[in-house]
C-alpha cells in the first residue's frame, strides 16, 4: 500500500504497513481484521506516530473509512491504493475521505497498540501448532524478476546506522522453464509454454534444493538528516524533492547452465537426482528439509547429471559476489543489477572441473578467506579435498602452502571453519553399499551410499605446510550424526591454545515419522508430513583437545532451565568474531519446542551460559528465514563509517519473514541485544520469497536507486540482445569458448 495525503501547503507521506498490502483491483476485496498505525513524515521532520486503531473491516473500502477517522487533519483529499503483487498491474484507485476536525483526536488514539499486530502477535496468535498450509504456500514459483524496486519501511524507520546490502539466494523456481526468454533474444523460444506449479509433474523439482535459485539484493540506506531552511540556503523544499527510499530491492534468477538450458527447452532437463529423491533412502538425512545431505549427483566432470541450481551461500569478498555450489565452479554476479556474469575460476586458481564448496570460512582478524574443493565420485576408496586460503585482495596466500588431503572413502564435506592455527573440517563415516553398481558408473548417492557410525575431525595447520594434519576419530554417541554439520564458528581460547572450541548445528540423523510415500511438491501440508521429511537439529559444543586427541560433545540447553534445546535451522554469529572467541549464536527456531517443526521464530544462545537466553516467535502462519547479523555502519555522502561496538551483540539482526495469510514477505530488523522485544522495523518486499534462503550482509555497501536502475537497464539490454561477447571473465579456454559453452555443447556426450 502506498498512501499520500495532499494538503494545500505541504505533502505528507504515510509509511506503508504490511497488513494493508492487499489486492486493490476492487475496493471490496476481502482483507482480515487489522490494526492500523499511521506514521507521518515530512521533508523537515522525523516520522512520528499520529494515530492507531483496530478494525474488523473486511474490505479496502471499509478501511478507507477507518483511515478517514484516524487522520487528524481537516484538509486531506484522499489516499491512493496500489497493487503490491509483482505480476499484476492494477490501476491506481483513489478513495475519498470525508474528514471533520471534530472527529479526529483523542488522547487514547495516539498510543501505539501492538497487542494484536501481525508484527507483535498476542499469546493467542503465538500458541498452537504451526499452520502448515501457510508454510507450504511459500513453495511456489516466483514468476517475475525485480530489476529495481524502491521499498519503504512500514513499521518505524530503517535505523540510520544500518547501511549496507543484504544478499540472499533462495530456491524460487519449482517448475522448470517458468521464466520465458526476454523479447528480442535472437529467436530463443521455449519448446513448451509456462505452466502453473503442479500442472506438469515432469517439470517439477522433487526437492526444494533442486529448484532454480534466485538472488535477492536489498540495499538499505538511511534517510538523510532533516534539513532546516537556515542551514542550507540551497534547500529546494518548494519543489517537493522526493526523499530517498528506505531500501531498494532487486531479485533475479542466477543464469546457470541448468537454468538457461531448461529455459530454452521449456522442460526439466537435469533430472538425474529425481529418482533418488522420491525413492526410500538408506539414510534418513539424505533428503532432509530444507537442506539435504546429498546435494548433487556424484558423476565427475562436466555432464548433464550435475546441475548447479544457483542458490548456495552468497560469498562477498574483495568487491566480488559469488554464488557457489558443491559440485562445480561458482557463478560471479553483478553487485548492483544481480545479473549473471558467468562462471569464475577465482583468477585461474581452480581448474575447469574443480568444484568450490558451498560454504566458506573467514578469519576476521587477518582478513583471510578459506574455501575447499572436494572432488567426489572419482573413486569409492578415497576423496581428494583441497583447502585454499585468500587474502583481502582475493589472491591466494602462498600457493606452496595449499593443503590437499586424501580422505578415506566418499568423503561428504559440507562445511569448513578456521582458528588462528588450524583449518577445521568434520567428515562423517560413509560406505558404498553397491560396489558393483559403482564400478559400472552409478553415481546417484541415494542408491549407492550409506552412513556409518561416527566420523573424523581434521585439524589442518594453516601456516606450516610440513606439519601433519591431525585426525581425531569421533565415535557414535547415539545422539546424532556427524553428517552435514553446520559450523557456526571455531576458535582457540587464549587461556588454553591447545583446545579448539567448535559450535555446530547437529542433526539427530533420524526422522520422527517413517514413511515410504514419496515426498512431492509442495512437500509438507501437515505437521506429520513435515516430520517425515526433516530430522531434528540442535546446537552443540565440541571441545577438541589437541594434546590428547579427544573430543567432548555437549548439547546446548533450552530457555528457563529446560534441559533440551529447541529444534533449530540455519544459524549465524557476529562476523567480526569469526575465528575468534564468540559469545552469542542466533538461529531460526521451530514452533514446537524441541519437537521438529518448520523454522518459525528466532532464538539467541549465550555460549557462556550454554543455553537459550532470548527468543521471539511470530503468529502461527508466519515463518522466519535465516537470521543474518548486520554491524553498525553510517554512510554520509561517499564517507562510510563502520562503528564496531565493544559489545558483541551491539548490532542488528536481519531476517526474511513469510506470511502465509498475506502471501508476501517482509524484511524484519531486530536489535541483536534484545530480539525478544520483536522487530524494531519492518520493510515489506511486495513479493513472496520461498523458504530455504541463505544470505550474507555487506556493511557499508550501498548505492542510490538511480545507480542501481541504470545498471539494471544495461543488464536487461545485454541479455535481450544475447551479447555474450562482452562478458568479462577469467575462464576462457584456448579455443575461445567459455566453460559453460563446453558444458552446454559437450555435456550430454560425457
Amino acid at each position: 500500500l502506498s498512501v499520500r495525503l495532499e494538503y494545500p501547503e505541504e505533502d505528507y507521506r504515510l509509511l506503508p504497513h504490511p497488513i494493508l498490502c492487499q489486492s486493490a483491483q476492487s475496493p471490496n476485496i476481502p482483507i482480515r481484521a487489522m490494526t492500523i498505525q499511521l506514521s507521518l513524515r515530512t521533508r523537515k521532520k522525523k516520522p512520528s506516530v499520529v494515530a492507531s486503531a483496530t478494525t474488523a473491516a473486511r474490505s479496502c473500502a471499509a478501511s478507507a473509512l477507518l483511515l478517514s477517522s484516524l487522520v487528524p487533519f481537516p484538509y486531506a483529499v484522499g489516499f491512493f491504493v496500489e497493487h503490491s503483487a509483482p505480476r499484476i498491474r492494477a490501476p491506481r484507485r483513489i478513495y475519498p475521505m470525508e474528514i471533520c476536525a471534530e472527529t479526529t483526536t483523542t488522547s487514547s488514539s495516539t498510543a501505539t497498540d501492538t497487542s494484536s499486530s501481525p508484527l507483535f502477535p498476542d499469546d493467542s496468535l503465538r500458541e498452537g501448532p504451526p499452520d502448515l498450509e501457510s508454510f507450504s504456500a511459500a513453495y511456489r514459483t516466483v514468476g517475475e524478476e525485480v530489476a529495481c524496486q524502491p521499498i519503504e519501511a512500514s513499521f518505524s524507520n530503517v535505523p540510520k546506522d544500518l547501511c549496507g546490502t543484504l544478499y540472499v539466494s533462495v530456491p524460487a523456481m519449482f517448475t522448470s522453464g517458468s521464466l520465458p526468454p526476454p523479447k528480442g533474444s535472437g529467436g530463443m523460444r521455449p519448446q513448451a509454454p509456462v505452466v502453473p506449479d503442479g500442472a506438469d509433474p515432469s517439470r517439477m523439482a522433487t526437492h526444494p534444493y533442486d529448484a532454480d535459485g534466485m538472488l535477492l539484493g536489498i540495499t538499505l540506506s538511511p534517510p538523510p538528516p532533516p534539513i532546516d531552511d537556515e542551514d542550507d540556503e540551497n534547500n529546494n523544499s518548494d519543489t517537493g524533492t522526493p526523499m530517498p527510499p528506505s531500501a531498494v530491492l532487486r531479485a533475479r534468477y542466477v543464469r546457470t547452465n541448468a537454468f538457461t538450458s531448461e529455459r530454452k527447452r521449456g522442460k526439466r532437463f537435469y533430472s538425474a537426482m529425481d529418482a533418488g529423491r522420491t525413492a526410500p533412502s538408506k539414510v534418513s538425512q539424505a533428503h532432509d528439509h530444507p537442506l539435504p545431505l546429498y546435494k548433487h549427483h556424484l558423476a565427475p566432470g562436466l555432464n548433464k547429471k550435475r546441475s548447479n541450481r544457483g542458490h548456495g551461500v552468497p560469498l562477498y569478498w574483495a568487491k566480488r559476489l559469488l554464488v557457489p555450489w558443491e559440485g562445480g565452479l561458482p557463478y560471479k554476479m553483478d553487485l548492483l543489477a544481480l545479473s549473471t556474469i558467468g562462471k569464475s575460476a577465482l583468477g585461474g586458481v581452480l581448474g575447469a572441473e574443480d568444484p568450490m564448496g558451498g560454504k566458506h570460512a573467514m578469519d576476521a582478524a587477518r582478513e583471510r578467506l578459506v574455501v575447499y574443493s572436494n572432488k567426489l565420485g572419482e573413486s569409492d576408496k578415497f576423496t581428494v579435498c583441497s583447502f585454499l586460503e585468500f587474502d583481502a585482495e582475493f589472491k591466494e596466500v602462498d600457493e606452496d602452502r595449499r593443503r590437499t588431503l586424501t580422505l578415506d572413502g566418499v568423503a561428504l564435506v559440507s562445511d569448513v571453519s578456521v582458528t588462528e592455527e588450524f583449518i577445521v573440517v568434520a567428515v562423517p563415516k560413509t560406505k558404498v553399499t553397491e560396489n558393483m553398481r559403482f564400478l559400472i558408473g552409478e553415481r546417484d548417492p541415494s542408491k549407492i551410499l550409506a552412513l556409518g557410525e561416527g566420523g573424523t575431525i581434521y585439524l589442518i595447520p594453516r601456516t606450516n605446510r610440513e606439519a601433519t594434519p591431525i585426525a581425531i576419530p569421533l565415535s557414535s554417541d547415539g545422539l546424532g550424526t556427524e553428517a552435514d554439520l553446520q559450523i557456526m564458528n571455531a576458535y582457540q581460547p587464549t587461556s588454553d591454545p591447545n583446545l579448539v572450541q567448535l559450535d555446530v548445528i547437529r542433526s539427530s540423523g533420524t526422522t520422527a515419522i517413517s514413511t515410504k510415500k514419496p515426498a512431492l511438491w509442495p512437500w509438507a501440508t501437515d505437521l506429520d508430513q513435515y516430520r517425515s521429511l526433516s530430522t531434528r537439529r540442535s546446537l552443540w559444543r565440541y571441545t577438541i583437545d589437541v594434546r590428547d586427541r579427544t573430543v567432548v560433545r555437549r548439547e546446548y540447553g533450552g530457555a528457563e532451565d529446560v534441559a533440551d534445546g529447541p529444534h533449530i535451522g540455519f544459524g549465524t554469529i557476529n562476523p567480526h568474531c569469526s575465528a575468534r572467541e564468540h559469545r552469542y549464536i542466533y538461529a531460526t527456531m521451530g514452533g514446537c519446542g524441541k519437537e521438529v517443526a518448520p523454522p518459525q521464530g528466532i532464538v539467541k544462545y549465550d555460549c557462556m551460559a550454554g543455553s537459550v537466553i532470548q527468543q521471539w516467535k511470530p503468529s502461527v502462519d508466519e515463518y522466519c528465514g535465516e537470521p543474518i547479523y548486520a554491524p553498525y555502519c553510517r554512510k554520509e555522502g561517499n564517507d562510510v563509517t563502520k562503528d564496531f561496538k565493544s559489545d558483541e551483540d551491539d548490532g542488528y539482526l536481519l531476517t526474511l519473514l513469510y506470511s502465509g495469510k498475506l502471501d508476501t514477505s517482509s524484511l524484519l530488523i531486530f536489535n541483536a541485544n534484545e530480539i525478544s522485544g520483536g522487530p524494531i522495523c519492518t520493510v515489506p518486499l511486495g513479493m513472496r520469497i520461498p523458504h530455504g534462503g541463505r544470505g550474507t550482509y555487506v556493511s557499508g555497501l550501498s548505492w542510490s536507486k538511480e545507480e542501481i536502475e541504470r545498471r539494471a537497464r544495461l543488464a536487461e539490454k545485454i541479455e535481450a540482445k544475447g551479447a555474450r561477447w562482452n562478458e568479462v571473465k577469467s575462464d576462457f579456454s584456448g579455443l575461445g569458448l567459455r566453460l559453460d559453452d563446453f558444458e552446454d555443447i559437450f555435456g550430454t556426450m560425457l
Side-chain angles (χ1 to χ4, degrees), residues 8 20 51-52 68 79-80 120 286 358 363 385 407-408 426 439 484 526 590 615-616 696 730:
L20 296 179
S52 178
S68 301
F79 72 98
F80 302 138
F120 301 96
D363 184 338
C385 186
L407 307 175
D408 293 335
L439 290 175
D484 204 20
D526 60 66
Q615 58 188 21
W616 179 83
T696 186
S730 61

Side-chain angles (χ1 to χ4, degrees), residues 73-292:
F73 299 98
Y75 303 109
V77 179
F79 72 98
F80 302 138
V81 180
E82 293 179 314
H83 199 278
S84 62
R87 297 198 60 168
I88 303 175
R89 297 292 181 261
R92 175 178 290 187
R93 297 179 179 272
I94 301 178
Y95 299 100
M97 292 183 175
E98 297 295 331
I99 298 181
C100 299
E102 293 81 5
T103 64
T104 57
T105 58
T106 63
S107 59
S108 60
S109 67
T110 59
T112 302
D113 179 12
T114 62
S115 59
S116 59
S117 166
L119 294 176
F120 301 96
D122 58 22
D123 291 338
S124 63
L125 293 175
R126 297 174 190 262
E127 294 175 354
D131 180 358
L132 268 294
E133 292 287 345
S134 295
F135 174 78
S136 60
Y139 287 125
R140 285 181 289 153
T141 294
V142 179
E144 277 198 357
E145 299 179 313
V146 178
C148 178
Q149 178 63 47
I151 51 180
E152 290 289 352
S154 66
F155 180 81
S156 184
N157 282 337
V158 174
K160 291 184 178 181
D161 49 8
L162 180 59
C163 175
T165 297
L166 172 66
Y167 294 107
V168 179
S169 61
V170 58
M173 184 178 290
F174 304 97
T175 300
S176 297
S178 291
L179 187 70
K183 295 181 180 179
S185 54
M188 184 177 68
R189 289 292 175 263
Q191 301 173 7
V194 174
V195 297
D197 290 332
D200 186 352
S202 66
R203 294 171 61 174
M204 294 298 300
T206 52
H207 189 283
Y209 192 82
D210 297 331
D212 287 304
M214 172 175 275
L215 184 63
L216 276 73
I218 305 175
T219 296
L220 300 170
S221 299
I227 300 176
D228 295 327
D229 292 339
E230 60 270 20
D231 292 339
D232 188 357
E233 61 183 10
N234 295 321
N235 178 28
N236 195 15
S237 60
D238 294 334
T239 63
T241 303
M243 296 179 64
S246 298
V248 179
L249 169 70
R250 295 92 75 202
R252 289 177 64 89
Y253 282 101
V254 182
R255 268 56 171 179
T256 65
N257 291 348
F259 175 89
T260 304
S261 177
E262 293 175 346
R263 189 184 190 187
K264 293 177 182 177
R265 293 172 171 83
K267 64 179 182 180
R268 187 171 177 81
F269 183 67
Y270 294 82
S271 57
M273 290 288 289
D274 290 357
R277 296 288 194 209
T278 56
S281 175
K282 304 178 180 67
V283 181
S284 299
Q285 200 179 344
H287 311 300
D288 211 344
H289 278 236
L291 191 65

Side-chain angles (χ1 to χ4, degrees), residues 232-523:
D232 188 357
E233 61 183 10
N234 295 321
N235 178 28
N236 195 15
S237 60
D238 294 334
T239 63
T241 303
M243 296 179 64
S246 298
V248 179
L249 169 70
R250 295 92 75 202
R252 289 177 64 89
Y253 282 101
V254 182
R255 268 56 171 179
T256 65
N257 291 348
F259 175 89
T260 304
S261 177
E262 293 175 346
R263 189 184 190 187
K264 293 177 182 177
R265 293 172 171 83
K267 64 179 182 180
R268 187 171 177 81
F269 183 67
Y270 294 82
S271 57
M273 290 288 289
D274 290 357
R277 296 288 194 209
T278 56
S281 175
K282 304 178 180 67
V283 181
S284 299
Q285 200 179 344
H287 311 300
D288 211 344
H289 278 236
L291 191 65
L293 173 62
Y294 299 155
K295 297 178 176 61
H296 62 83
H297 201 273
L298 302 184
L302 300 172
N303 57 78
K304 67 179 182 180
K305 294 183 178 181
R306 302 179 80 159
S307 57
N308 181 353
R309 291 298 177 178
H311 50 77
V313 181
L315 168 61
Y316 176 85
W317 194 258
K319 299 181 180 180
R320 296 173 189 151
L321 180 63
L322 303 176
V323 177
W325 76 301
E326 295 288 341
L329 294 175
Y331 277 84
K332 185 178 178 181
M333 311 298 294
D334 183 85
L335 290 171
L336 280 78
L338 304 189
S339 55
T340 305
I341 299 175
K343 288 184 180 179
S344 173
L346 306 185
V349 173
L350 297 175
E353 297 186 6
D354 291 338
M356 190 185 95
K359 298 290 290 295
H360 54 271
M362 297 181 183
D363 184 338
R366 299 181 184 177
E367 295 188 30
R368 297 286 179 83
L369 170 72
V370 174
V371 301
Y372 63 92
S373 176
N374 195 35
K375 292 187 176 182
L376 288 169
E378 296 182 349
S379 170
D380 61 337
K381 305 299 183 184
F382 63 89
T383 300
V384 177
C385 186
S386 300
F387 298 90
L388 299 84
E389 187 165 344
F390 299 91
D391 62 15
E393 303 298 325
F394 224 139
K395 296 179 181 179
E396 189 174 8
V397 177
D398 192 359
E399 185 177 349
D400 293 336
R401 279 170 33 196
R402 184 188 300 182
R403 302 307 302 264
T404 298
L405 296 184
T406 301
L407 307 175
D408 293 335
V410 180
L412 300 177
V413 178
S414 58
D415 207 345
V416 65
S417 189
V418 294
T419 68
E420 185 177 352
E421 297 181 33
F422 301 107
I423 298 172
V424 185
V425 64
V427 181
K429 188 175 293 184
T430 61
K431 56 184 177 181
V432 176
T433 58
E434 303 288 342
N435 297 89
M436 185 57 66
R437 296 180 68 178
F438 188 96
L439 290 175
I440 62 176
E442 178 61 70
R443 293 296 187 272
D444 187 338
S446 302
K447 299 178 181 179
I448 59 173
L449 282 187
L451 285 180
E453 295 186 350
T456 305
I457 286 184
Y458 292 91
L459 303 179
I460 305 151
R462 293 175 59 187
T463 56
N464 185 0
R465 192 179 188 280
E466 303 302 323
T468 304
I470 301 172
I472 304 177
L474 291 169
S475 59
S476 174
D477 59 0
L479 300 176
T481 73
E482 312 308 327
D484 204 20
L485 295 180
Q486 298 179 44
I487 301 178
M488 298 294 96
N489 192 33
Y491 68 91
Q492 295 171 260
T494 55
S495 58
D496 190 351
N498 289 309
L499 293 180
V500 174
Q501 301 288 13
L502 182 69
D503 284 328
V504 301
I505 296 178
R506 186 187 187 196
S507 169
S508 64
T510 58
T511 56
I513 298 176
S514 300
T515 179
K516 294 184 178 181
K517 295 177 61 178
L520 302 177
W521 178 87
W523 296 292

